[in-house]
Amino acid sequence: MAYKFVDNYREKGARKRLVDVLRKKGIADERVLEAIGKVPRHYFFSETFWEQAYKDIAFPIGEGQTISQPYTVAYQTELLHIQPGNKVLEIGTGSGYQTCVLLELGAKVYTIERQEKLYERTKWVLPVKMGYKPNFFLGDGSIGIAAHAPYDKIIVTAGAPLVPGILLKQLKIGGMLVIPVGNEKAQKMVTVMRVAENDFEEIVLDTFRFVPLVGDKAW
Ligand code: SAM
């Protein structure tokens, strides 16, 4: 596939229109919208499909996976209330689009992907073609990455059957997990805040449809 890593007025204009669409759909955090407005999403698409990049849709990225819909990325990011310097664990790197948005907000990102081909491609595209430098890991993120815990925030970008307790233990006190939970067809977005060592507050929000989280503490 032919990829063209250039960002001209055509792509910038399309990106601005996407930001307007997200604002109209209810994304209110201007910092999140600004971050979305900076990331060249067409870099994750072959040149033939570049126009799909700025539609508010998920799109296949190979290996049976998808780049998340911009609205979903904005929605999860808004819930996290990322502050510059926050240590964030992202489970399900995929294309790396969500990773870039987190980095634009000043987070220090640890991102893990279980599919080797996606891991290899994203580990190359983000730093080499885009200048984004998260910490990449290959493996099962359903068990988190204990070696780098605790995290201020954890974001899961695939649908889980339940909230893995092992992830909650990797949150700082005051930290937050955002995870879609449900069956294969639909999941509710869930936030869990660690308010004290053994005290967690859960909120169940809107319905989404994600690819499955596959692993030891997942499907
Ligand atoms: N935000 C990403 C993007 O925009 O490209 C989303 C990628 S996709 C919706 C979810 C990803 O989670 C897939 O790449 C899938 O391989 C990955 N995944 C599923 N289960 C996983 C696990 N246990 N550990 C790490 N990654 C996992």
Side-chain angles (χ1 to χ4, degrees):
M1 276 196 281
Y3 289 83
K4 199 170 174 189
F5 296 107
V6 290
D7 193 25
N8 285 331
Y9 68 91
R10 181 182 70 159
E11 293 82 12
K12 286 182 174 137
R15 199 147 67 237
K16 198 167 171 298
R17 288 191 291 280
L18 172 64
V19 167
D20 289 340
V21 167
L22 299 182
R23 194 180 276 115
K24 282 194 188 112
K25 287 188 175 177
I27 303 300
D29 187 332
E30 286 299 325
R31 288 181 59 237
V32 172
L33 292 168
E34 199 180 313
I36 298 265
K38 284 184 183 160
V39 180
R41 192 168 185 260
H42 61 281
Y43 281 21
F44 304 110
F45 291 67
S46 77
E47 210 186 342
T48 329
F49 293 117
W50 89 265
E51 284 185 72
Q52 304 302 317
Y54 295 108
K55 290 184 180 161
D56 189 24
I57 53 171
F59 201 79
I61 53 170
E63 310 308 307
Q65 305 302 321
T66 53
I67 181 171
S68 300
Q69 182 182 347
Y71 176 75
T72 307
V73 170
Y75 185 99
Q76 286 195 287
T77 309
E78 193 169 58
L79 288 173
L80 285 170
H81 299 290
I82 301 289
Q83 298 305 313
N86 272 180
K87 191 173 168 187
V88 179
L89 172 62
E90 180 195 28
I91 298 164
T93 314
S95 67
Y97 177 59
Q98 170 77 72
T99 321
C100 299
V101 172
L102 294 168
L103 288 165
E104 283 291 351
L105 287 162
K108 184 173 185 203
V109 182
Y110 295 75
T111 185
I112 182 163
E113 172 57 53
R114 65 179 282 276
Q115 300 249 20
E116 194 166 359
K117 279 191 184 161
L118 294 177
Y119 162 80
E120 290 295 348
R121 181 168 198 283
T122 305
K123 196 174 161 221
W124 170 73
V125 172
L126 260 58
V128 176
K129 294 291 174 188
M130 306 177 81
Y132 291 112
K133 296 193 173 103
N135 301 286
F136 292 100
F137 298 86
L138 174 65
D140 177 10
S142 75
I143 56 168
I145 309 180
H148 294 282
Y151 304 97
D152 294 292
K153 314 280 162 66
I154 301 178
I155 173 171
V156 181
T157 72
L162 42 77
V163 178
I166 195 166
L167 296 184
L168 298 179
K169 290 192 190 120
Q170 292 179 26
L171 282 174
K172 290 182 188 174
I173 309 287
M176 184 196 275
L177 165 71
V178 174
I179 182 169
V181 180
N183 56 33
E184 311 83 47
K185 289 187 183 148
Q187 304 87 33
K188 292 276 183 195
M189 196 66 76
V190 175
T191 63
V192 187
M193 171 91 82
R194 185 173 203 174
V195 289
E197 183 63 29
N198 292 310
D199 193 6
F200 298 89
E201 277 176 9
E202 181 182 288
I203 301 176
V204 179
L205 298 154
D206 298 318
T207 304
F208 290 83
R209 186 171 186 175
F210 281 80
V211 295
L213 183 74
V214 179
D216 189 46
K217 303 292 177 199
W219 293 107

